[in-house]
Amino acid sequence: MPPLDVPALVLRNTHLSPDYNVLHLEAPAIAAASQPGQFVMIRTAAGTDPLLRRPFSVFEVLRDAAGSPSGISVLSKRIGPGTARLYDAAAGDRLLVLGPLGKPFSLVSPPAEAWMVAGGVGLAPFATLTEALRSTGAPARLFYGGRTRADLFYLDWFASRGVTLDLATEDGSLGAHGRVTAPLDDALRARAASLPVTLYACGPEPMLKAVAGLARTYGRSSQLSTERIMGCGLGGCYSCVVRVREAGGAPHFVRSCLNGPVFNGDDLVWE
Amino acid sequence: MDLSVRIGSLVLKSPLMSASGCFGYGLEYADIVDLSSLGAVVVKGLFLKEREGHPPPRIVETPSGMLNAIGLQGIGVHRFVREKMPELRRLGAVVIVNVCGSSIDEYAEVTRILSDCEGVAAIELNISCPNIKEGGIQFGCNLASTGEVVAAVRRATALPLIPKLTPNVTSVPSFARAAEENGADAVSLVNTFLAMVIDPETRRPAISNGMGGLSGPAIRPIAVRMVYECAKQVRIPVIGMGGISSARDVLEFMIAGATAVQVGTANFVDPFIWPRLQAGIEDYMTRHGVARVADLVGTVDF
Ligand SMILES: Cc1cc2nc3c(=O)[nH]c(=O)nc-3n(C[C@H](O)[C@H](O)[C@H](O)COP(=O)(O)O)c2cc1C
C-alpha cells in the first residue's frame, strides 16, 4: 500500500518522564496497514521551523472497542526542537503523519525464540513486534537497557504479554549493572546451539554493533532497526544512508528509509 | 486555463518541476505522485560512473531550512538509462537529467549518452554543486569555465540545454549571460548556498563534509532577487527555485521573471504538494483573470 499522509488528531499525550512521552494519534488507515518495524514521518509544527518531519517507529497499534485499528502511538524522547514540540503536544492538536514506511521485521515461529534488544527509546518498535509474535506463538524475551530505572518504561505491558524481561541500567538501579549487551551475552552463551533464536535490536549504534557482533559470535541471525537522520522518509534525499555489504559485493551506501530501517545484522558495515 | 510554458523547443504542460536531488530518480514517488502531471521530473545528478557520496551525517536542519552535503551519491548514467528510464517513460514523465562531471569531457560524454536515450527531454547542466571537490562548482564559479563547458556540451546535444547556476558568486547574471552566449536554451537557479553549522558542545561541524548547501524557505527571498536580476539580463527562459513551498511562492518566482519553477526541500516536508501547488496557481489565475500562466512571467510591477 502506498503511504498516506493524514492530519492525525492527538488523542492523548502521556509524559513518562521529563524526556519521554507517548503520543496517541488517531490514524485508522495507517494503523491498519502498518507492520512491526515500520515507521512514520511526523510534521511537528505547521510552519517552517522546525521544517523537516521526524521519523518515529510505530510504537503501538491502537484499537477501538470492536478491535479494529483506530490509531497508532509513538514513543518519543525529547532531544531537539521537533521532539520538544511533540513532548508539549496536547489532546486535540493535529499532526501530519505520513506512513507506514520502510521494511518491517520478519517474524519467527516456534521452535525459534525472538529475543528483542532495546536501548533507551529503541524500545519503540518492540510493542508491535510483541503483538505480532503472539500470533506466531514464538516465545519472546526483551533485553532492555537504559541509564537509570526511571528510563525503563512499559515493563508491565511487556510482562503481561508473556515477554520475559532482562533489564540493565548503567547506574545499577534496576536489573544488571551496565550495558544490556552483558545479560544478552550470558543468555546467548547459555542457550544450546540446537535451539534457534533470532535477535531483534533497536537502540544506539554502539549497541547495534555489539548485538551484530554477538549474533556472529554465537551463530545467530539478527535484524537491526537503524535510526539515521532522515530528511524525507521516501528515498528522495539520500540523507539516511547506512553502509551495507550484500553477498559478494563491495560495501556501499543504501537508504535506510527504503532498504531499511530493518537490516540483516550481517549485511551492515560499521564505520 | 493554460498552464503550459515553453523552455527552448520544449513545451511543458505545467511550470512545476521537481528539483534535482530532492526527488530521487522520480520513481521513488511514483505511487504517490502522478509523474505525468508535472511539467518535468528533474532527476538526481548523474556522473558517468556510480558514486558513493559523503559519509553521514549528510544533512542538518537550520532555521526554516536545511544544510546538505550528500556528495552526489548516484548510480551513474549507464544504470540510469538501463534501470530507470524504461519505467519513467512508461509513466509518461517528462524527464530532465541533471548532468555532473569532473571534466568537460565527462559532462559531454554523459550528455551524449542521455541524448541517445529515448524519453530524455532536456539536460540540466550541474555546474553548481557546492559539495564536491572536483567538478561542479569549479566550473560554475568561473565565467570562462562556465562558457567553455556550456559550449562543449552544446556541441554534444540537440536537446534543450539548461545550465544550473550557483548563487555563490558576486554576480549571477553575468553567469547567466555566459551560458546564453554559449548556446544554453535556458538557465536554472539557484543551487544551494554554501553554508556551515557548528555544534558548540563538540566544536565540530554538524555534517561530515564540514560545509554544505543551504536550501528551503530560508533562502527564498535571495533566490527571488537573483531570478529577478537574471531574467532582466538574458532573453532565454529562467527556471527559478529556492525555498518554494506554496502556490504563492511559485507565483512570486514567475512574476519575478521565472518561466518555470522547481521545488526541492518542500517536497521532503510534503510529498503531496504537487496537486496543491497546481490548484493554488489555478485559483490565482481565476481571481486575477489570467488565461495563460506564461503571461505572468516577469510582470513584477517595479
Ligand atoms: C538533499 C539535496 C540534494 C540536492 N542534490 C542536487 C543535485 O544532485 N543536483 C543539483 O543540481 N542540485 C541539487 N540540490 C539543489 C536543489 O536542486 C535546489 O537547487 C535547492 O535545494 C534549492 O531549492 P529548494 O530550496 O526548493 O530545495 C540538492 C538539494 C538538496 C536539499
Side-chain angles (χ1 to χ4, degrees), chain A residues 2 5 43 48 50-54 98 228 232 234 236-239 241 243 252-253 255, chain B residues 21 23-25 28-29 31 44 52 55-56 58-59 61 64-65 70 73 268-269 271-272:
Chain A
D5 194 20
R43 194 163 174 189
T48 61
L51 180 66
L52 299 172
R53 295 179 188 236
R54 301 290 191 269
L98 172 68
R228 282 282 156 97
C232 67
L234 291 169
C237 71
Y238 282 74
S239 305
V241 295
R243 226 192 260 282
H252 63 283
F253 285 128
R255 291 163 284 182
Chain B
F23 205 61
Y25 298 108
E28 289 86 343
Y29 290 86
D31 61 357
K44 208 173 151 47
E52 264 295 89
R58 292 175 164 185
I59 58 167
E61 190 159 316
S64 300
I70 307 297
Q73 178 177 348
F268 298 153
V269 180
F272 295 86

mmCIF file of all heavy atoms in Angstrom, chain A residues 2 5 43 48 50-54 98 228 232 234 236-239 241 243 252-253 255, chain B residues 21 23-25 28-29 31 44 52 55-56 58-59 61 64-65 70 73 268-269 271-272:
data_model
loop_
_atom_site.group_PDB
_atom_site.id
_atom_site.type_symbol
_atom_site.label_atom_id
_atom_site.label_comp_id
_atom_site.label_asym_id
_atom_site.label_seq_id
_atom_site.Cartn_x
_atom_site.Cartn_y
_atom_site.Cartn_z
ATOM 1 N N PRO A 2 0.552 2.230 -0.851
ATOM 2 C CA PRO A 2 1.324 3.481 -0.799
ATOM 3 C C PRO A 2 1.097 4.179 0.541
ATOM 4 O O PRO A 2 0.021 4.051 1.123
ATOM 5 C CB PRO A 2 0.740 4.329 -1.940
ATOM 6 C CG PRO A 2 -0.314 3.527 -2.589
ATOM 7 C CD PRO A 2 -0.511 2.246 -1.845
ATOM 8 N N ASP A 5 -0.763 10.347 4.010
ATOM 9 C CA ASP A 5 -0.428 11.487 4.857
ATOM 10 C C ASP A 5 -1.729 11.970 5.480
ATOM 11 O O ASP A 5 -2.606 12.453 4.769
ATOM 12 C CB ASP A 5 0.211 12.593 4.005
ATOM 13 C CG ASP A 5 0.877 13.650 4.862
ATOM 14 O OD1 ASP A 5 1.183 13.350 6.039
ATOM 15 O OD2 ASP A 5 1.100 14.760 4.359
ATOM 16 N N ARG A 43 5.191 15.575 11.032
ATOM 17 C CA ARG A 43 5.482 17.007 10.962
ATOM 18 C C ARG A 43 5.128 17.599 12.314
ATOM 19 O O ARG A 43 3.971 17.560 12.732
ATOM 20 C CB ARG A 43 4.653 17.633 9.845
ATOM 21 C CG ARG A 43 5.124 19.003 9.487
ATOM 22 C CD ARG A 43 4.571 19.426 8.147
ATOM 23 N NE ARG A 43 4.933 20.803 7.898
ATOM 24 C CZ ARG A 43 4.462 21.517 6.907
ATOM 25 N NH1 ARG A 43 3.594 20.971 6.063
ATOM 26 N NH2 ARG A 43 4.846 22.762 6.728
ATOM 27 N N THR A 48 7.471 26.660 9.333
ATOM 28 C CA THR A 48 8.713 26.214 8.701
ATOM 29 C C THR A 48 9.841 25.979 9.702
ATOM 30 O O THR A 48 10.975 25.767 9.304
ATOM 31 C CB THR A 48 9.191 27.247 7.665
ATOM 32 O OG1 THR A 48 9.434 28.488 8.339
ATOM 33 C CG2 THR A 48 8.161 27.454 6.582
ATOM 34 N N PRO A 50 10.336 23.879 13.430
ATOM 35 C CA PRO A 50 11.183 23.010 12.615
ATOM 36 C C PRO A 50 10.547 22.709 11.256
ATOM 37 O O PRO A 50 9.322 22.629 11.146
ATOM 38 C CB PRO A 50 11.309 21.717 13.420
ATOM 39 C CG PRO A 50 10.662 21.986 14.742
ATOM 40 C CD PRO A 50 9.841 23.199 14.631
ATOM 41 N N LEU A 51 11.389 22.515 10.272
ATOM 42 C CA LEU A 51 10.924 22.363 8.900
ATOM 43 C C LEU A 51 10.656 20.906 8.536
ATOM 44 O O LEU A 51 9.584 20.566 8.045
ATOM 45 C CB LEU A 51 11.977 22.950 7.958
ATOM 46 C CG LEU A 51 11.678 22.885 6.461
ATOM 47 C CD1 LEU A 51 10.484 23.748 6.123
ATOM 48 C CD2 LEU A 51 12.893 23.326 5.655
ATOM 49 N N LEU A 52 11.644 20.066 8.746
ATOM 50 C CA LEU A 52 11.559 18.683 8.265
ATOM 51 C C LEU A 52 10.750 17.821 9.230
ATOM 52 O O LEU A 52 10.658 18.115 10.419
ATOM 53 C CB LEU A 52 12.964 18.102 8.106
ATOM 54 C CG LEU A 52 13.869 18.828 7.111
ATOM 55 C CD1 LEU A 52 15.294 18.287 7.187
ATOM 56 C CD2 LEU A 52 13.325 18.708 5.695
ATOM 57 N N ARG A 53 10.178 16.763 8.672
ATOM 58 C CA ARG A 53 9.490 15.798 9.525
ATOM 59 C C ARG A 53 10.513 14.981 10.306
ATOM 60 O O ARG A 53 11.691 14.955 9.967
ATOM 61 C CB ARG A 53 8.642 14.857 8.662
ATOM 62 C CG ARG A 53 7.509 15.570 7.959
ATOM 63 C CD ARG A 53 6.730 14.576 7.120
ATOM 64 N NE ARG A 53 5.759 15.249 6.290
ATOM 65 C CZ ARG A 53 4.446 14.978 6.295
ATOM 66 N NH1 ARG A 53 3.966 14.027 7.069
ATOM 67 N NH2 ARG A 53 3.632 15.640 5.500
ATOM 68 N N ARG A 54 10.013 14.305 11.338
ATOM 69 C CA ARG A 54 10.869 13.436 12.142
ATOM 70 C C ARG A 54 10.363 12.000 12.034
ATOM 71 O O ARG A 54 9.154 11.772 12.086
ATOM 72 C CB ARG A 54 10.818 13.858 13.617
ATOM 73 C CG ARG A 54 11.251 15.302 13.872
ATOM 74 C CD ARG A 54 12.743 15.485 13.662
ATOM 75 N NE ARG A 54 13.213 16.785 14.158
ATOM 76 C CZ ARG A 54 13.277 17.905 13.433
ATOM 77 N NH1 ARG A 54 12.859 17.906 12.190
ATOM 78 N NH2 ARG A 54 13.734 19.026 13.972
ATOM 79 N N LEU A 98 2.799 10.732 8.110
ATOM 80 C CA LEU A 98 2.995 10.080 6.804
ATOM 81 C C LEU A 98 3.499 8.650 7.033
ATOM 82 O O LEU A 98 4.508 8.439 7.699
ATOM 83 C CB LEU A 98 4.021 10.881 6.004
ATOM 84 C CG LEU A 98 4.525 10.307 4.684
ATOM 85 C CD1 LEU A 98 3.420 10.290 3.638
ATOM 86 C CD2 LEU A 98 5.714 11.119 4.168
ATOM 87 N N ARG A 228 18.792 6.512 11.559
ATOM 88 C CA ARG A 228 19.625 7.568 10.976
ATOM 89 C C ARG A 228 18.826 8.868 10.830
ATOM 90 O O ARG A 228 17.597 8.838 10.797
ATOM 91 C CB ARG A 228 20.132 7.123 9.600
ATOM 92 C CG ARG A 228 21.294 6.141 9.678
ATOM 93 C CD ARG A 228 22.590 6.871 10.000
ATOM 94 N NE ARG A 228 23.606 6.025 10.624
ATOM 95 C CZ ARG A 228 24.604 5.440 9.979
ATOM 96 N NH1 ARG A 228 24.719 5.572 8.688
ATOM 97 N NH2 ARG A 228 25.488 4.721 10.634
ATOM 98 N N CYS A 232 13.393 12.808 4.391
ATOM 99 C CA CYS A 232 12.067 12.686 3.782
ATOM 100 C C CYS A 232 11.360 11.372 4.069
ATOM 101 O O CYS A 232 10.145 11.309 4.043
ATOM 102 C CB CYS A 232 12.170 12.892 2.270
ATOM 103 S SG CYS A 232 13.093 11.594 1.414
ATOM 104 N N LEU A 234 11.183 8.839 2.171
ATOM 105 C CA LEU A 234 10.635 8.237 0.948
ATOM 106 C C LEU A 234 11.694 7.922 -0.099
ATOM 107 O O LEU A 234 11.375 7.520 -1.207
ATOM 108 C CB LEU A 234 9.594 9.180 0.324
ATOM 109 C CG LEU A 234 8.299 9.362 1.109
ATOM 110 C CD1 LEU A 234 7.491 10.522 0.529
ATOM 111 C CD2 LEU A 234 7.474 8.090 1.084
ATOM 112 N N GLY A 236 13.864 10.188 -1.324
ATOM 113 C CA GLY A 236 14.131 11.337 -2.175
ATOM 114 C C GLY A 236 15.457 12.026 -1.928
ATOM 115 O O GLY A 236 16.056 12.588 -2.848
ATOM 116 N N CYS A 237 15.950 11.990 -0.692
ATOM 117 C CA CYS A 237 17.050 12.900 -0.351
ATOM 118 C C CYS A 237 18.406 12.235 -0.143
ATOM 119 O O CYS A 237 19.424 12.915 -0.127
ATOM 120 C CB CYS A 237 16.690 13.733 0.876
ATOM 121 S SG CYS A 237 16.639 12.821 2.431
ATOM 122 N N TYR A 238 18.440 10.921 0.071
ATOM 123 C CA TYR A 238 19.722 10.218 0.278
ATOM 124 C C TYR A 238 20.470 10.700 1.521
ATOM 125 O O TYR A 238 21.693 10.731 1.545
ATOM 126 C CB TYR A 238 20.629 10.353 -0.951
ATOM 127 C CG TYR A 238 20.238 9.437 -2.087
ATOM 128 C CD1 TYR A 238 19.116 9.708 -2.852
ATOM 129 C CD2 TYR A 238 20.989 8.309 -2.395
ATOM 130 C CE1 TYR A 238 18.747 8.867 -3.898
ATOM 131 C CE2 TYR A 238 20.630 7.467 -3.445
ATOM 132 C CZ TYR A 238 19.506 7.758 -4.185
ATOM 133 O OH TYR A 238 19.147 6.933 -5.202
ATOM 134 N N SER A 239 19.730 11.076 2.572
ATOM 135 C CA SER A 239 20.390 11.515 3.808
ATOM 136 C C SER A 239 20.663 10.359 4.748
ATOM 137 O O SER A 239 21.637 10.383 5.492
ATOM 138 C CB SER A 239 19.497 12.503 4.558
ATOM 139 O OG SER A 239 19.135 13.563 3.740
ATOM 140 N N VAL A 241 21.567 7.257 4.761
ATOM 141 C CA VAL A 241 22.245 6.053 4.281
ATOM 142 C C VAL A 241 22.996 5.305 5.384
ATOM 143 O O VAL A 241 23.489 5.896 6.349
ATOM 144 C CB VAL A 241 23.225 6.385 3.136
ATOM 145 C CG1 VAL A 241 22.453 6.901 1.932
ATOM 146 C CG2 VAL A 241 24.273 7.393 3.581
ATOM 147 N N ARG A 243 25.933 1.869 5.511
ATOM 148 C CA ARG A 243 26.787 1.088 4.624
ATOM 149 C C ARG A 243 26.431 -0.392 4.759
ATOM 150 O O ARG A 243 26.368 -0.914 5.861
ATOM 151 C CB ARG A 243 28.251 1.307 4.992
ATOM 152 C CG ARG A 243 29.114 1.568 3.768
ATOM 153 C CD ARG A 243 30.575 1.500 4.111
ATOM 154 N NE ARG A 243 31.223 2.785 4.294
ATOM 155 C CZ ARG A 243 31.611 3.587 3.304
ATOM 156 N NH1 ARG A 243 31.378 3.257 2.056
ATOM 157 N NH2 ARG A 243 32.206 4.713 3.555
ATOM 158 N N HIS A 252 28.603 -0.530 0.198
ATOM 159 C CA HIS A 252 28.101 0.695 -0.404
ATOM 160 C C HIS A 252 26.952 1.243 0.435
ATOM 161 O O HIS A 252 26.373 0.536 1.256
ATOM 162 C CB HIS A 252 27.670 0.454 -1.848
ATOM 163 C CG HIS A 252 26.539 -0.517 -1.979
ATOM 164 N ND1 HIS A 252 26.710 -1.871 -1.858
ATOM 165 C CD2 HIS A 252 25.221 -0.335 -2.206
ATOM 166 C CE1 HIS A 252 25.558 -2.485 -2.009
ATOM 167 N NE2 HIS A 252 24.627 -1.573 -2.210
ATOM 168 N N PHE A 253 26.659 2.542 0.208
ATOM 169 C CA PHE A 253 25.601 3.201 0.971
ATOM 170 C C PHE A 253 24.229 2.884 0.384
ATOM 171 O O PHE A 253 24.038 2.990 -0.830
ATOM 172 C CB PHE A 253 25.785 4.718 0.943
ATOM 173 C CG PHE A 253 26.891 5.219 1.832
ATOM 174 C CD1 PHE A 253 27.880 6.052 1.328
ATOM 175 C CD2 PHE A 253 26.933 4.878 3.176
ATOM 176 C CE1 PHE A 253 28.887 6.536 2.150
ATOM 177 C CE2 PHE A 253 27.939 5.354 4.008
ATOM 178 C CZ PHE A 253 28.923 6.187 3.489
ATOM 179 N N ARG A 255 19.871 3.633 1.243
ATOM 180 C CA ARG A 255 18.974 4.483 2.022
ATOM 181 C C ARG A 255 18.242 3.640 3.068
ATOM 182 O O ARG A 255 17.566 2.678 2.703
ATOM 183 C CB ARG A 255 17.966 5.146 1.081
ATOM 184 C CG ARG A 255 18.588 6.182 0.169
ATOM 185 C CD ARG A 255 17.694 6.530 -1.009
ATOM 186 N NE ARG A 255 17.710 5.487 -2.014
ATOM 187 C CZ ARG A 255 17.058 5.551 -3.159
ATOM 188 N NH1 ARG A 255 16.327 6.617 -3.447
ATOM 189 N NH2 ARG A 255 17.118 4.565 -4.023
ATOM 190 N N GLY B 21 17.927 16.131 -7.034
ATOM 191 C CA GLY B 21 18.457 15.705 -5.743
ATOM 192 C C GLY B 21 17.417 15.689 -4.647
ATOM 193 O O GLY B 21 17.700 15.277 -3.528
ATOM 194 N N PHE B 23 14.163 14.492 -5.339
ATOM 195 C CA PHE B 23 13.054 13.680 -5.845
ATOM 196 C C PHE B 23 13.590 12.341 -6.339
ATOM 197 O O PHE B 23 12.978 11.699 -7.177
ATOM 198 C CB PHE B 23 12.383 14.462 -6.995
ATOM 199 C CG PHE B 23 10.940 14.125 -7.251
ATOM 200 C CD1 PHE B 23 9.973 14.324 -6.277
ATOM 201 C CD2 PHE B 23 10.536 13.628 -8.489
ATOM 202 C CE1 PHE B 23 8.636 14.035 -6.529
ATOM 203 C CE2 PHE B 23 9.200 13.339 -8.753
ATOM 204 C CZ PHE B 23 8.251 13.546 -7.766
ATOM 205 N N GLY B 24 14.753 11.951 -5.812
ATOM 206 C CA GLY B 24 15.386 10.703 -6.242
ATOM 207 C C GLY B 24 15.475 10.651 -7.753
ATOM 208 O O GLY B 24 15.833 11.631 -8.410
ATOM 209 N N TYR B 25 15.151 9.458 -8.287
ATOM 210 C CA TYR B 25 15.062 9.319 -9.747
ATOM 211 C C TYR B 25 13.602 9.403 -10.199
ATOM 212 O O TYR B 25 13.252 8.915 -11.267
ATOM 213 C CB TYR B 25 15.704 8.002 -10.184
ATOM 214 C CG TYR B 25 17.180 7.946 -9.849
ATOM 215 C CD1 TYR B 25 17.651 7.138 -8.834
ATOM 216 C CD2 TYR B 25 18.077 8.763 -10.527
ATOM 217 C CE1 TYR B 25 19.001 7.132 -8.495
ATOM 218 C CE2 TYR B 25 19.426 8.769 -10.201
ATOM 219 C CZ TYR B 25 19.883 7.949 -9.184
ATOM 220 O OH TYR B 25 21.208 7.955 -8.852
ATOM 221 N N GLU B 28 10.814 6.809 -7.027
ATOM 222 C CA GLU B 28 10.553 6.674 -5.596
ATOM 223 C C GLU B 28 9.178 7.253 -5.236
ATOM 224 O O GLU B 28 8.571 6.855 -4.242
ATOM 225 C CB GLU B 28 11.627 7.413 -4.780
ATOM 226 C CG GLU B 28 13.013 6.768 -4.799
ATOM 227 C CD GLU B 28 13.870 7.200 -5.981
ATOM 228 O OE1 GLU B 28 13.327 7.730 -6.968
ATOM 229 O OE2 GLU B 28 15.096 7.009 -5.901
ATOM 230 N N TYR B 29 8.719 8.204 -6.045
ATOM 231 C CA TYR B 29 7.470 8.900 -5.739
ATOM 232 C C TYR B 29 6.306 8.431 -6.600
ATOM 233 O O TYR B 29 5.199 8.971 -6.495
ATOM 234 C CB TYR B 29 7.669 10.423 -5.899
ATOM 235 C CG TYR B 29 8.553 10.971 -4.811
ATOM 236 C CD1 TYR B 29 9.936 10.963 -4.933
ATOM 237 C CD2 TYR B 29 8.005 11.433 -3.617
ATOM 238 C CE1 TYR B 29 10.757 11.415 -3.907
ATOM 239 C CE2 TYR B 29 8.810 11.891 -2.592
ATOM 240 C CZ TYR B 29 10.182 11.876 -2.742
ATOM 241 O OH TYR B 29 10.977 12.313 -1.710
ATOM 242 N N ASP B 31 4.262 6.026 -6.682
ATOM 243 C CA ASP B 31 2.969 5.555 -6.164
ATOM 244 C C ASP B 31 2.204 6.621 -5.381
ATOM 245 O O ASP B 31 1.076 6.385 -4.958
ATOM 246 C CB ASP B 31 3.108 4.234 -5.377
ATOM 247 C CG ASP B 31 4.016 4.377 -4.165
ATOM 248 O OD1 ASP B 31 4.573 5.478 -3.970
ATOM 249 O OD2 ASP B 31 4.165 3.388 -3.422
ATOM 250 N N LYS B 44 18.017 13.188 -9.988
ATOM 251 C CA LYS B 44 19.251 13.382 -9.239
ATOM 252 C C LYS B 44 20.470 13.465 -10.156
ATOM 253 O O LYS B 44 20.507 12.816 -11.200
ATOM 254 C CB LYS B 44 19.390 12.159 -8.345
ATOM 255 C CG LYS B 44 20.134 12.410 -7.104
ATOM 256 C CD LYS B 44 20.093 11.204 -6.202
ATOM 257 C CE LYS B 44 21.352 11.191 -5.373
ATOM 258 N NZ LYS B 44 21.669 12.503 -4.780
ATOM 259 N N GLU B 52 29.663 7.010 -4.466
ATOM 260 C CA GLU B 52 29.249 6.669 -3.108
ATOM 261 C C GLU B 52 28.679 7.855 -2.339
ATOM 262 O O GLU B 52 27.822 7.698 -1.480
ATOM 263 C CB GLU B 52 30.464 6.143 -2.330
ATOM 264 C CG GLU B 52 30.567 4.643 -2.324
ATOM 265 C CD GLU B 52 29.415 3.999 -1.579
ATOM 266 O OE1 GLU B 52 28.388 3.720 -2.224
ATOM 267 O OE2 GLU B 52 29.529 3.781 -0.374
ATOM 268 N N PRO B 55 30.060 10.323 3.713
ATOM 269 C CA PRO B 55 29.516 9.577 4.854
ATOM 270 C C PRO B 55 28.476 10.409 5.592
ATOM 271 O O PRO B 55 28.534 11.638 5.558
ATOM 272 C CB PRO B 55 30.739 9.330 5.749
ATOM 273 C CG PRO B 55 31.884 10.046 5.153
ATOM 274 C CD PRO B 55 31.476 10.681 3.878
ATOM 275 N N PRO B 56 27.518 9.756 6.256
ATOM 276 C CA PRO B 56 26.578 10.515 7.091
ATOM 277 C C PRO B 56 27.295 11.046 8.341
ATOM 278 O O PRO B 56 28.363 10.512 8.659
ATOM 279 C CB PRO B 56 25.521 9.473 7.462
ATOM 280 C CG PRO B 56 26.126 8.133 7.198
ATOM 281 C CD PRO B 56 27.265 8.317 6.246
ATOM 282 N N ARG B 58 24.650 13.623 6.676
ATOM 283 C CA ARG B 58 24.680 14.374 5.431
ATOM 284 C C ARG B 58 23.793 15.613 5.457
ATOM 285 O O ARG B 58 23.876 16.439 4.545
ATOM 286 C CB ARG B 58 24.201 13.468 4.290
ATOM 287 C CG ARG B 58 25.161 12.334 3.966
ATOM 288 C CD ARG B 58 24.566 11.419 2.919
ATOM 289 N NE ARG B 58 25.580 10.556 2.326
ATOM 290 C CZ ARG B 58 25.344 9.735 1.311
ATOM 291 N NH1 ARG B 58 24.134 9.664 0.772
ATOM 292 N NH2 ARG B 58 26.310 8.986 0.824
ATOM 293 N N ILE B 59 22.897 15.686 6.420
ATOM 294 C CA ILE B 59 22.034 16.875 6.497
ATOM 295 C C ILE B 59 21.939 17.359 7.933
ATOM 296 O O ILE B 59 22.157 16.601 8.878
ATOM 297 C CB ILE B 59 20.589 16.628 5.990
ATOM 298 C CG1 ILE B 59 19.904 15.502 6.787
ATOM 299 C CG2 ILE B 59 20.559 16.347 4.516
ATOM 300 C CD1 ILE B 59 18.399 15.426 6.564
ATOM 301 N N GLU B 61 19.240 20.283 10.049
ATOM 302 C CA GLU B 61 18.204 21.297 9.897
ATOM 303 C C GLU B 61 18.726 22.646 10.375
ATOM 304 O O GLU B 61 19.537 22.724 11.296
ATOM 305 C CB GLU B 61 16.977 20.881 10.705
ATOM 306 C CG GLU B 61 15.797 21.757 10.393
ATOM 307 C CD GLU B 61 14.476 21.104 10.758
ATOM 308 O OE1 GLU B 61 14.283 19.912 10.468
ATOM 309 O OE2 GLU B 61 13.641 21.816 11.323
ATOM 310 N N SER B 64 14.246 27.350 9.367
ATOM 311 C CA SER B 64 13.449 27.349 8.129
ATOM 312 C C SER B 64 14.222 26.847 6.907
ATOM 313 O O SER B 64 13.980 27.301 5.785
ATOM 314 C CB SER B 64 12.872 28.740 7.837
ATOM 315 O OG SER B 64 12.037 29.137 8.898
ATOM 316 N N GLY B 65 15.138 25.941 7.141
ATOM 317 C CA GLY B 65 15.888 25.405 6.016
ATOM 318 C C GLY B 65 16.676 24.177 6.406
ATOM 319 O O GLY B 65 16.476 23.617 7.489
ATOM 320 N N ILE B 70 25.290 15.739 0.419
ATOM 321 C CA ILE B 70 25.067 14.339 0.067
ATOM 322 C C ILE B 70 26.302 13.826 -0.678
ATOM 323 O O ILE B 70 26.693 12.669 -0.528
ATOM 324 C CB ILE B 70 23.817 14.194 -0.841
ATOM 325 C CG1 ILE B 70 22.585 14.860 -0.202
ATOM 326 C CG2 ILE B 70 23.555 12.733 -1.180
ATOM 327 C CD1 ILE B 70 22.129 14.275 1.102
ATOM 328 N N GLN B 73 25.815 11.081 -4.351
ATOM 329 C CA GLN B 73 25.691 9.631 -4.465
ATOM 330 C C GLN B 73 24.783 9.329 -5.658
ATOM 331 O O GLN B 73 23.749 9.966 -5.835
ATOM 332 C CB GLN B 73 25.071 9.027 -3.199
ATOM 333 C CG GLN B 73 24.892 7.511 -3.307
ATOM 334 C CD GLN B 73 24.345 6.883 -2.030
ATOM 335 O OE1 GLN B 73 24.293 7.524 -0.992
ATOM 336 N NE2 GLN B 73 23.955 5.627 -2.116
ATOM 337 N N PHE B 268 10.284 17.293 0.513
ATOM 338 C CA PHE B 268 10.620 16.422 1.645
ATOM 339 C C PHE B 268 9.568 16.579 2.747
ATOM 340 O O PHE B 268 9.183 15.619 3.390
ATOM 341 C CB PHE B 268 11.986 16.778 2.248
ATOM 342 C CG PHE B 268 13.146 16.624 1.299
ATOM 343 C CD1 PHE B 268 14.287 17.391 1.456
ATOM 344 C CD2 PHE B 268 13.099 15.709 0.256
ATOM 345 C CE1 PHE B 268 15.372 17.240 0.602
ATOM 346 C CE2 PHE B 268 14.178 15.558 -0.604
ATOM 347 C CZ PHE B 268 15.317 16.339 -0.434
ATOM 348 N N VAL B 269 9.152 17.819 2.952
ATOM 349 C CA VAL B 269 8.198 18.105 4.017
ATOM 350 C C VAL B 269 6.808 17.616 3.623
ATOM 351 O O VAL B 269 6.074 17.061 4.438
ATOM 352 C CB VAL B 269 8.157 19.630 4.295
ATOM 353 C CG1 VAL B 269 7.167 19.931 5.404
ATOM 354 C CG2 VAL B 269 9.547 20.152 4.625
ATOM 355 N N PRO B 271 5.306 15.534 0.425
ATOM 356 C CA PRO B 271 5.407 14.897 -0.900
ATOM 357 C C PRO B 271 4.094 14.969 -1.688
ATOM 358 O O PRO B 271 4.093 14.670 -2.877
ATOM 359 C CB PRO B 271 5.770 13.444 -0.565
ATOM 360 C CG PRO B 271 5.308 13.234 0.835
ATOM 361 C CD PRO B 271 5.425 14.561 1.525
ATOM 362 N N PHE B 272 3.024 15.368 -1.028
ATOM 363 C CA PHE B 272 1.739 15.504 -1.720
ATOM 364 C C PHE B 272 1.501 16.952 -2.146
ATOM 365 O O PHE B 272 0.378 17.373 -2.364
ATOM 366 C CB PHE B 272 0.596 15.026 -0.817
ATOM 367 C CG PHE B 272 0.656 13.555 -0.496
ATOM 368 C CD1 PHE B 272 1.401 13.086 0.570
ATOM 369 C CD2 PHE B 272 -0.035 12.634 -1.286
ATOM 370 C CE1 PHE B 272 1.460 11.724 0.861
ATOM 371 C CE2 PHE B 272 0.010 11.272 -1.002
ATOM 372 C CZ PHE B 272 0.763 10.822 0.067
#
